[in-house]
Amino acid sequence: DSGVTQTPKHLITATGQRVTLRCSPRSGDLSVYWYQQSLDQGLQFLIQYYNGEERAKGNILERFSAQQFPDLHSELNLSSLELGDSALYFCASSPEGALNTEAFFGQGTRLTVV
Amino acid sequence: GDSVTQMEGPVTLSEEAFLTINCTYTATGYPSLFWYVQYPGEGLQLLLKATKADDKGSNKGFEATYRKETTSFHLEKGSVQVSDSAVYFCALSDRGRDDKIIFGKGTRLHILP
């Protein structure tokens, strides 16, 4: 158990809908990362938050947004969903950046858009 | 931009065989390098890391050496076990700008008993 909790584990929704994925980092970890894993694209970095503020942005679509709350949990919002958004979404946390400390990954949320 | 390239799988080996998974990287700064492993149905776990040139990371019999001159971080294990079957990801974090982790596409490893 990595200590990172992601909910829900599975999500099935229709095209055009909006969903929210939740991540609770390990106790004390200030950084939260979001990744999208698909078969053809591998593990794509979406966005990183550090202590409530956006720190780094990757290939995140405009239809996607995220935030980190004062209690350090994070949510990833996906809207106007398309079939191609079906993927495994991972959250990871680390005490500071990934520089000298490892990132701990949750078990992921599997999103299926039908 | 920064990127990681690793050998495509799947790689299938017999138990006790020698394993090498190649990984090369491109980065403008001085990255830290990582190998993560993903077992079926689970999230990624850090396997080993190296933070500067010539460092060797090791864990559970796996090793990788940070080679700046060849921009490589190949993963090796002398004798694989069935329990090593998993997907292995090479990754980097570039200290120069931010510290997001960039992953390769992963290499699926099958070990036959």
Side-chain angles (χ1 to χ4, degrees):
Chain A
D1 182 6
S2 68
V4 178
T5 303
Q6 290 188 247
T7 56
K9 286 190 169 41
H10 302 276
L11 199 48
I12 301 175
T13 190
T15 54
Q17 294 299 304
R18 172 190 167 94
V19 297
T20 297
L21 312 183
R22 183 188 168 98
C23 170
S24 294
R26 292 188 327 149
S27 178
D29 284 0
L30 299 180
S31 268
V32 169
Y33 308 79
W34 285 98
Y35 288 85
Q36 179 192 57
Q37 185 179 33
S38 57
L39 283 176
D40 56 343
Q41 292 293 322
L43 205 63
Q44 296 288 314
F45 169 73
L46 295 177
I47 198 163
Q48 179 200 2
Y49 278 83
Y50 180 81
N51 202 20
E53 294 194 3
E54 184 184 303
R55 188 163 192 173
K57 210 165 186 175
N59 299 321
I60 187 166
L61 299 172
E62 284 191 13
R63 302 182 285 107
F64 295 2
S65 65
Q67 59 185 126
Q68 187 178 27
F69 294 86
D71 66 353
L72 300 178
H73 91 272
S74 178
E75 292 181 356
L76 179 67
N77 300 296
L78 315 176
S79 61
S80 303
L81 285 167
E82 302 175 359
L83 296 178
D85 297 327
S86 296
L88 198 51
Y89 290 84
F90 283 109
C91 167
S93 74
S94 66
E96 295 177 19
L99 170 57
N100 289 314
T101 58
E102 67 180 277
F104 295 83
F105 280 77
Q107 293 203 324
T109 293
R110 183 170 295 282
L111 173 67
T112 304
V113 182
V114 298
Chain B
D2 296 350
S3 65
V4 174
T5 304
Q6 60 183 104
M7 61 189 291
E8 291 191 22
V11 173
T12 302
L13 297 172
S14 296
E15 204 166 23
E16 299 183 4
F18 183 86
L19 168 71
T20 300
I21 300 178
N22 290 335
C23 170
T24 57
Y25 67 90
T26 301
T28 53
Y30 302 92
S32 294
L33 302 176
F34 307 86
W35 277 100
Y36 279 80
V37 59
Q38 183 179 28
Y39 298 103
E42 297 185 13
L44 280 72
Q45 304 172 27
L46 180 69
L47 181 59
L48 53 83
K49 69 178 182 183
T51 57
K52 62 182 188 297
D54 300 325
D55 270 1
K56 177 186 280 188
S58 60
N59 186 25
K60 299 182 181 179
F62 290 90
E63 292 182 341
T65 301
Y66 190 141
R67 301 285 187 203
K68 192 166 183 289
E69 64 276 13
T70 54
T71 61
S72 64
F73 192 55
H74 305 320
L75 182 68
E76 296 182 336
K77 186 175 186 182
S79 176
V80 293
Q81 306 299 313
V82 172
S83 57
D84 294 327
S85 298
V87 182
Y88 292 81
F89 292 89
C90 186
L92 70 80
S93 177
D94 191 337
R95 288 176 271 187
R97 298 184 302 234
D98 52 50
D99 49 24
K100 63 180 181 287
I101 310 174
I102 304 295
F103 288 86
K105 290 199 170 186
T107 303
R108 185 174 297 278
L109 175 65
H110 292 293
I111 305 300
L112 303 175

